[in-house]
Amino acid sequence: MPSPRRSAEGRALGAPTANSSPGSPAHSSPAHGGGGRFEFQSLLGSRAPGTDPTCARLRASESPVHRRGSFPLTGPGPVPAPPGPPPDEARMNLNPSFLGIALRSLLAIDLWLSKKLGVCAGERSAWGSVRPLMKLLEISGHGIPWLLGTLYCLARSDSWAGREVLTNLLFALMLDLLLVALLKGLVRRRRPAHNQMDMFFTLSVDKYSFPSGHATRAALVARFILNHLVLAIPLRVLTVLWAFVLGLSRVMLGRHNVTDVAFGFVLGYMQYSIVDYCWLSPHNAPVLFALWSQS
């Protein structure tokens, strides 16, 4: 009985079996190919993927890297750079500064308080019956009556001291109109929504609210009168009271917000300082006073 080792060696050496055919590599004799074992190994080696060029090309074409290089998704040319971060204007400010929060809070308080104090904004308001009196007070602080009145008094004056005071008052009024119009055109803050626009005389810049021209004029004229006219104490008190009530009437009529009037008072007070610094007199402006004397 043959041993298992002998049988295995016989099969390994290519011994013919019943299932083997004459044309198969295992049936070939050692004289033709050096043995079926070596021919079988050479056949396997020739069909290996690493040695066959055709298989290598097919494997390379099927690889993802080769597919990406052979069939690009985009056209030829430089690869576009990734989009950068959005500009600062388009970003949402999730952490606003303390100053921004404070300004927004003050603006909200200003709008709320201005609406509460607008008791004369219309005929059906809480104090609608006082509206005609407030409108009369509004005319008393308008720029047109003050300019016309100053020009009339300057033309009728016959003293150098009176002309000097009136000339500087005219200069102050013109400076006030120029600065207020400039600030209104720059800020462009709309008047309150509850305002009923029926003013005495308006210009193109009067549709804006900041600052209040009546408040600046009231503070300017009040300080001018107190410094250059000799008045009794009751008249001085009435002058200050007139300026304060005039500013308050702007809020009650719904013409301005509280901050418009407050800034107007500060601006009018500072305008007098400018007029006092640039005070016109016969010594520094002789041509101007010579024209008034000839007229």
Side-chain angles (χ1 to χ4, degrees):
M1 180 178 180
S3 62
R5 180 178 180 182
R6 186 178 180 88
S7 301
E9 289 178 355
R11 292 194 189 95
L13 291 175
T17 59
N19 296 330
S20 61
S21 61
S24 63
H27 192 267
S28 62
S29 62
H32 291 84
R37 177 182 179 182
F38 298 103
E39 289 181 359
F40 185 75
Q41 288 181 354
S42 64
L43 182 60
L44 291 176
S46 64
R47 292 183 180 180
T51 58
D52 191 1
T54 306
C55 294
R57 285 195 298 270
L58 291 175
R59 295 287 182 180
S61 64
E62 292 176 359
S63 62
V65 177
H66 187 77
R67 285 200 301 270
R68 286 196 297 267
S70 301
F71 305 99
L73 297 177
T74 58
V79 179
D88 295 337
E89 297 84 8
R91 296 179 182 176
M92 182 180 297
N93 191 6
L94 299 179
N95 297 318
S97 61
F98 176 77
L99 181 60
I101 296 176
L103 290 178
R104 291 191 182 96
S105 301
L106 289 177
L107 180 60
I109 294 174
D110 177 37
L111 296 176
W112 173 81
L113 185 60
S114 302
K115 190 173 182 179
K116 288 292 182 181
L117 292 177
V119 293
C120 302
E123 289 80 3
R124 298 182 179 181
S125 301
W127 291 11
S129 59
V130 193
R131 182 178 173 84
L133 180 61
M134 292 296 173
K135 292 182 66 175
L136 182 62
L137 189 63
E138 177 183 59
I139 297 175
S140 69
H142 203 281
I144 299 300
W146 277 99
L147 284 173
L148 294 178
T150 303
L151 287 173
Y152 177 78
C153 294
L154 187 60
R156 300 287 297 177
S157 178
D158 55 355
S159 64
W160 285 100
R163 289 177 181 175
E164 182 177 348
V165 173
L166 292 172
T167 301
N168 286 274
L169 179 59
L170 181 64
F171 168 65
L173 294 173
M174 294 178 65
L175 178 65
D176 173 67
L177 289 175
L178 179 63
L179 290 180
V180 170
L182 181 62
L183 286 176
K184 284 186 175 182
L186 290 176
V187 178
R188 295 177 179 268
R189 185 183 188 183
R190 293 290 180 179
R191 292 188 181 271
H194 56 278
N195 173 43
Q196 183 180 346
M197 196 64 178
D198 55 351
M199 295 177 63
F200 169 68
F201 181 80
T202 58
L203 298 175
S204 60
V205 294
D206 286 331
K207 60 183 179 181
Y208 301 120
S209 176
F210 185 90
S212 171
H214 284 71
T216 58
R217 195 171 302 110
L220 172 65
V221 171
R223 192 179 179 191
F224 193 96
I225 291 175
L226 294 177
N227 282 275
H228 294 283
L229 292 182
V230 180
L231 299 175
I233 294 180
L235 293 179
R236 299 174 72 89
V237 173
L238 286 177
T239 302
V240 176
L241 187 62
W242 166 79
F244 176 76
V245 175
L246 179 59
L248 182 61
S249 68
R250 308 307 294 159
V251 182
M252 297 176 65
L253 285 171
R255 309 288 195 208
H256 295 277
N257 297 307
V258 176
T259 51
D260 302 335
V261 176
F263 185 82
F265 281 145
V266 176
L267 181 62
Y269 191 87
M270 294 174 60
Q271 282 177 353
Y272 175 78
S273 300
I274 298 175
V275 174
D276 189 43
Y277 180 79
C278 304
W279 187 263
L280 302 177
S281 64
H283 301 284
N284 56 16
V287 178
L288 182 61
F289 285 91
L291 291 175
W292 286 115
S293 62
Q294 291 178 3
S295 60

